[in-house]
Short mmCIF file of all heavy atoms in Angstrom, two decimals:
data_model
loop_
_atom_site.label_atom_id
_atom_site.label_comp_id
_atom_site.label_asym_id
_atom_site.label_seq_id
_atom_site.Cartn_x
_atom_site.Cartn_y
_atom_site.Cartn_z
N SER A 42 21.77 -9.01 301.25
CA SER A 42 20.72 -9.12 300.26
C SER A 42 19.71 -10.16 300.77
O SER A 42 19.88 -10.97 301.63
CB SER A 42 21.23 -9.64 298.95
OG SER A 42 20.25 -9.99 298.13
N GLY A 43 18.41 -9.96 300.26
CA GLY A 43 17.39 -10.93 300.49
C GLY A 43 17.26 -11.80 299.35
O GLY A 43 18.24 -12.05 298.66
N GLY A 44 16.04 -12.46 299.24
CA GLY A 44 15.86 -13.32 298.20
C GLY A 44 16.33 -14.90 298.67
O GLY A 44 16.82 -14.97 299.78
N SER A 45 16.45 -15.75 297.73
CA SER A 45 16.96 -16.97 298.05
C SER A 45 18.29 -17.44 297.80
O SER A 45 18.90 -18.21 298.53
CB SER A 45 16.02 -18.07 297.28
OG SER A 45 16.17 -17.73 295.84
N THR A 46 18.82 -16.73 296.76
CA THR A 46 20.26 -17.02 296.32
C THR A 46 21.27 -16.98 297.56
O THR A 46 22.02 -17.96 297.63
CB THR A 46 20.73 -16.18 295.22
OG1 THR A 46 19.87 -16.29 294.24
CG2 THR A 46 22.18 -16.54 294.71
N PRO A 47 21.21 -16.06 298.33
CA PRO A 47 22.26 -15.83 299.36
C PRO A 47 22.03 -16.59 300.61
O PRO A 47 22.92 -16.78 301.54
CB PRO A 47 22.21 -14.33 299.68
CG PRO A 47 20.87 -13.87 299.53
CD PRO A 47 20.39 -14.79 298.33
N ASP A 74 17.43 -4.29 301.37
CA ASP A 74 15.97 -4.06 301.19
C ASP A 74 15.20 -5.03 302.03
O ASP A 74 15.73 -5.90 302.65
CB ASP A 74 15.70 -4.10 299.69
CG ASP A 74 15.50 -5.59 299.20
OD1 ASP A 74 16.39 -6.39 299.61
OD2 ASP A 74 14.79 -5.93 298.48
N GLU A 75 13.82 -4.73 302.23
CA GLU A 75 13.16 -5.50 303.11
C GLU A 75 11.74 -5.53 302.52
O GLU A 75 11.22 -4.43 301.97
CB GLU A 75 13.07 -5.05 304.45
CG GLU A 75 12.40 -5.84 305.51
CD GLU A 75 12.73 -7.32 305.47
OE1 GLU A 75 12.32 -8.08 304.61
OE2 GLU A 75 13.58 -7.62 306.34
N ARG A 76 10.96 -6.57 302.69
CA ARG A 76 9.52 -6.59 302.30
C ARG A 76 8.84 -6.08 303.56
O ARG A 76 9.22 -6.12 304.67
CB ARG A 76 9.21 -7.99 302.23
CG ARG A 76 9.74 -8.75 300.83
CD ARG A 76 11.10 -9.14 300.95
NE ARG A 76 11.69 -9.78 299.96
CZ ARG A 76 11.43 -10.99 299.54
NH1 ARG A 76 10.87 -11.79 300.33
NH2 ARG A 76 12.11 -11.64 298.44
N ASN A 86 13.11 -10.67 304.72
CA ASN A 86 14.57 -10.95 304.44
C ASN A 86 15.35 -11.03 305.77
O ASN A 86 16.26 -11.71 305.88
CB ASN A 86 15.11 -9.72 303.58
CG ASN A 86 14.70 -9.89 302.12
OD1 ASN A 86 14.24 -10.92 301.70
ND2 ASN A 86 14.63 -8.69 301.46
N LEU A 144 24.12 -8.00 296.69
CA LEU A 144 22.92 -7.72 295.85
C LEU A 144 22.54 -9.15 295.04
O LEU A 144 23.44 -9.99 294.78
CB LEU A 144 23.16 -6.64 294.87
CG LEU A 144 23.34 -5.28 295.46
CD1 LEU A 144 23.75 -4.32 294.36
CD2 LEU A 144 22.04 -4.81 296.22
N GLY A 145 21.23 -9.22 294.83
CA GLY A 145 20.77 -10.26 293.93
C GLY A 145 20.25 -9.75 292.63
O GLY A 145 20.30 -8.39 292.44
N LEU A 146 19.86 -10.57 291.70
CA LEU A 146 19.38 -10.04 290.39
C LEU A 146 18.18 -10.79 290.16
O LEU A 146 17.97 -12.05 290.08
CB LEU A 146 20.43 -10.36 289.30
CG LEU A 146 20.07 -10.05 287.84
CD1 LEU A 146 19.87 -8.53 287.73
CD2 LEU A 146 20.95 -10.57 286.82
N GLY A 147 17.04 -10.00 290.05
CA GLY A 147 15.85 -10.71 289.60
C GLY A 147 15.74 -10.85 288.13
O GLY A 147 16.46 -10.26 287.26
N PRO A 148 14.83 -11.82 287.69
CA PRO A 148 14.76 -12.18 286.30
C PRO A 148 14.20 -10.94 285.49
O PRO A 148 14.49 -11.04 284.21
CB PRO A 148 13.55 -13.21 286.20
CG PRO A 148 13.17 -13.59 287.60
CD PRO A 148 13.79 -12.70 288.45
N HIS A 151 15.70 -6.47 288.16
CA HIS A 151 15.60 -5.59 289.47
C HIS A 151 16.77 -6.05 290.32
O HIS A 151 17.19 -7.16 290.22
CB HIS A 151 14.35 -5.70 290.07
CG HIS A 151 14.07 -6.87 290.94
ND1 HIS A 151 13.37 -7.95 290.47
CD2 HIS A 151 14.40 -7.22 292.18
CE1 HIS A 151 13.37 -8.86 291.35
NE2 HIS A 151 13.95 -8.40 292.60
N THR A 152 17.17 -5.16 291.22
CA THR A 152 18.15 -5.50 292.33
C THR A 152 17.67 -4.71 293.53
O THR A 152 17.16 -3.73 293.48
CB THR A 152 19.60 -5.35 291.87
OG1 THR A 152 20.47 -5.84 292.96
CG2 THR A 152 19.90 -3.81 291.80
N ALA A 153 17.90 -5.29 294.72
CA ALA A 153 17.38 -4.84 295.88
C ALA A 153 15.79 -4.66 295.68
O ALA A 153 15.28 -5.65 295.07
CB ALA A 153 18.02 -3.47 296.35
N SER A 154 15.22 -3.54 296.00
CA SER A 154 13.99 -3.41 295.69
C SER A 154 13.82 -2.22 294.64
O SER A 154 12.83 -1.35 294.68
CB SER A 154 12.98 -3.04 296.82
OG SER A 154 12.79 -4.38 297.47
N ARG A 181 7.73 -2.21 299.83
CA ARG A 181 9.10 -2.59 300.20
C ARG A 181 9.86 -1.44 300.59
O ARG A 181 9.51 -0.27 300.29
CB ARG A 181 9.77 -3.29 299.06
CG ARG A 181 9.16 -4.51 298.64
CD ARG A 181 10.07 -5.27 297.68
NE ARG A 181 9.83 -6.66 297.54
CZ ARG A 181 10.66 -7.70 297.03
NH1 ARG A 181 11.82 -7.13 296.67
NH2 ARG A 181 10.35 -8.79 296.74
N LEU A 198 25.20 -11.71 293.54
CA LEU A 198 25.23 -13.25 293.54
C LEU A 198 24.16 -13.60 292.80
O LEU A 198 22.89 -13.27 292.93
CB LEU A 198 25.02 -13.79 295.02
CG LEU A 198 26.20 -13.98 295.94
CD1 LEU A 198 27.03 -12.65 296.12
CD2 LEU A 198 25.81 -14.51 297.46
N GLU A 203 17.49 -19.78 284.94
CA GLU A 203 16.37 -18.89 284.59
C GLU A 203 16.95 -17.27 284.66
O GLU A 203 16.44 -16.51 284.10
CB GLU A 203 15.20 -19.01 285.55
CG GLU A 203 15.36 -18.42 286.98
CD GLU A 203 16.25 -19.44 287.88
OE1 GLU A 203 16.70 -20.43 287.41
OE2 GLU A 203 16.47 -19.04 289.12
N LYS A 204 18.19 -17.26 285.17
CA LYS A 204 18.65 -15.83 285.27
C LYS A 204 19.60 -15.55 284.06
O LYS A 204 20.12 -14.47 283.89
CB LYS A 204 19.59 -15.64 286.50
CG LYS A 204 18.76 -15.78 287.90
CD LYS A 204 17.86 -14.62 288.12
CE LYS A 204 17.11 -14.85 289.34
NZ LYS A 204 17.80 -14.70 290.63
C1 LIG B 1 14.60 -9.42 297.55
C2 LIG B 1 15.89 -9.03 297.01
C3 LIG B 1 15.77 -9.22 295.55
C4 LIG B 1 16.52 -10.38 295.09
C5 LIG B 1 16.21 -10.77 293.78
C6 LIG B 1 16.79 -12.12 293.32
O1 LIG B 1 14.16 -8.86 298.56
O2 LIG B 1 13.94 -10.30 297.14
O3 LIG B 1 16.39 -7.99 297.47
O4 LIG B 1 16.46 -8.11 294.82
O5 LIG B 1 17.89 -10.36 295.42
O6 LIG B 1 14.90 -10.86 293.56
O7 LIG B 1 16.07 -13.11 294.27
P1 LIG B 1 16.53 -14.67 294.26
O8 LIG B 1 17.83 -14.76 294.87
O9 LIG B 1 15.49 -15.34 295.01
O10 LIG B 1 16.55 -15.21 292.78
#
Side-chain angles (χ1 to χ4, degrees):
S42 170
S45 56
T46 303
D74 73 329
E75 184 56 279
R76 292 78 178 274
N86 287 336
L144 292 171
L146 176 65
H151 82 262
T152 191
S154 285
R181 293 195 169 195
L198 274 58
E203 73 281 2
K204 300 288 176 73

